[in-house]
């Protein structure tokens, strides 16, 4: 029983990280139809920004306090990069989807190369607060405290994004602009600026995911964002392209399947199980490749 509880909690924690990584990707595609292959660069930038912040702050400060500041910095850096990418690269290509893919893939490759050139290819260790490194005993199982943090942050992000889209004027403008941009612009609303805000939100979520994943892995590396992006795409496709709630459910399923398969079968089988799950979903529900919102 304790082993199963441990697997469930760690699987949920991993699923929470996958949702954090996939949420911005899902939001941008669902609302704007942009398949952003440079999303991994946003996560890598957030991870390195957080690492540099923790290194630069006075070491006399508690690790938890430095991590809190690093989280804020990672979110801001992700948002700024998202805005720059949208304005400079994506905005001229909204009606040219093939070019969008080529540009974002190129940016992804360039981002990894730039990180390797600046900080090297080797992973850099990341400090972790003692309370996040500890465990909590529940029903005989020692549950890692950091998994509860990932789950809580993912739930807050999901609730915040859904509330933004459904109950705010910005969310109404975003959804209306997606449905009929010409009509919304005729009402004097700057839809372009609204789409830039969407990219900023997606970038901020990616920066947050990158930093928290570096806490999970215990290090930062240039290829970290790209590795996480693979699972983010799998989660987005399984959950339905552009569906935030579907992405959240899919992230939980993928995290649990991966953990359970690795434990009860063999190490590495979890990754194969996730790919098989993706193939099964595409065979049974090919409509999951179509866009949706909320």
């Amino acid at each position: 029983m304790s082993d199963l509880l441990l697997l469930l909690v760690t699987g949920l924690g991993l699923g929470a990280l996958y949702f954090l990584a996939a949420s911005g990707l899902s939001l941008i595609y669902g609302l704007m139809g942009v398949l952003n292959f440079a999303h991994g660069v946003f996560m890598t930038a957030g991870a390195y920004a957080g690492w540099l912040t923790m290194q630069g702050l006075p070491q006399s400060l508690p690790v938890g306090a430095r991590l809190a500041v690093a989280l804020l910095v990672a979110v801001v850096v992700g948002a700024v990069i998202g805005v720059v990418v949208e304005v400079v690269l994506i905005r001229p290509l909204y009606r040219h989807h093939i070019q969008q893919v080529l540009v974002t893939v190129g940016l992804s490759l360039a981002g990894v190369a730039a990180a390797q050139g600046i900080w090297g290819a080797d992973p850099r260790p990341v400090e972790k607060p003692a309370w996040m490194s500890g465990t909590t005993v529940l029903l005989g199982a020692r549950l890692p405290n950091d998994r509860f943090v990932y789950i809580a942050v993912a739930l807050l992000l999901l609730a915040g994004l859904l509330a933004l889209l459904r109950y705010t004027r910005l969310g109404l403008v975003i959804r209306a602009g997606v449905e009929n941009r010409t009509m919304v612009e005729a009402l004097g609303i700057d839809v372009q600026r609204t789409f830039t805000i969407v990219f900023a939100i997606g970038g901020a979520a990616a920066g947050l995911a990158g930093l928290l994943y570096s806490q999970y892995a215990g290090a930062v590396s240039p290829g970290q964002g790209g590795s996480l992006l693979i699972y983010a795409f799998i989660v987005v496709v399984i959950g339905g392209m552009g569906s935030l709630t579907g992405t959240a459910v899919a992230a939980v399923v993928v995290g649990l399947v991966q953990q359970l398969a690795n434990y009860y079968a063999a190490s590495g089988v979890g990754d194969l199980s996730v790919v098989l799950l993706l193939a099964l979903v595409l065979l049974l529900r090919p409509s999951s490749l179509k866009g949706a919102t909320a």
Side-chain angles (χ1 to χ4, degrees), residues 168-185:
T168 67
R169 181 179 182 275
L170 175 62
L172 178 63
V173 171
I174 291 172
R175 289 183 285 117
V178 171
E179 292 296 329
N180 194 327
R181 177 172 178 171
T182 303
M183 181 190 71
V184 175
E185 288 179 335

Side-chain angles (χ1 to χ4, degrees), residues 91-182:
R91 184 175 295 181
L93 301 174
Y94 271 124
R95 299 183 185 276
H96 306 280
H97 299 292
I98 299 299
Q99 287 89 333
Q100 285 178 8
V101 171
L102 294 175
V103 165
T104 54
V105 169
L107 179 60
S108 177
L109 297 174
V112 173
Q116 288 179 343
I118 297 172
W119 296 290
D122 296 331
R124 301 293 186 98
V126 173
E127 290 184 279
K128 196 171 187 176
W131 56 272
M132 282 184 66
S133 301
T135 58
T136 297
V137 179
L138 181 63
L139 299 178
R142 289 189 172 274
L143 308 176
N145 292 335
D146 62 340
R147 302 311 194 271
F148 296 112
V149 175
Y150 307 145
I151 293 169
V153 173
L155 289 173
L156 288 173
L157 180 63
L158 174 62
L161 291 176
L162 290 178
L164 173 69
L165 292 175
R166 295 177 180 176
Y167 305 116
T168 67
R169 181 179 182 275
L170 175 62
L172 178 63
V173 171
I174 291 172
R175 289 183 285 117
V178 171
E179 292 296 329
N180 194 327
R181 177 172 178 171
T182 303

Side-chain angles (χ1 to χ4, degrees), residues 74-86:
V75 168
V76 172
V77 168
V80 170
I81 293 177
V83 170
V84 172
V85 169
E86 193 277 335

Side-chain angles (χ1 to χ4, degrees), residues 40-56 70 73-74 77 111-112 114-126 207 210-212 214 219-225:
V41 172
F42 298 175
M43 291 187 279
T44 300
Y48 272 102
W51 172 67
L52 290 171
T53 300
M54 293 185 70
Q55 294 292 315
V73 171
V77 168
V112 173
Q116 288 179 343
I118 297 172
W119 296 290
D122 296 331
R124 301 293 186 98
V126 173
L211 187 140
L212 289 179
S214 71
V220 293
S221 64
Q224 204 168 60

Side-chain angles (χ1 to χ4, degrees), residues 1-39:
M1 177 64 183
S2 61
D3 288 342
L4 179 59
L5 180 60
L6 176 61
L7 289 171
L8 291 177
V9 172
T10 54
L12 287 174
L14 187 59
L17 286 174
Y18 289 160
F19 172 74
L20 291 171
S23 57
L25 192 67
S26 177
L27 184 71
I28 291 171
Y29 182 82
L31 295 175
M32 303 166 65
V34 176
L35 198 55
N36 181 21
F37 285 91
H39 198 70

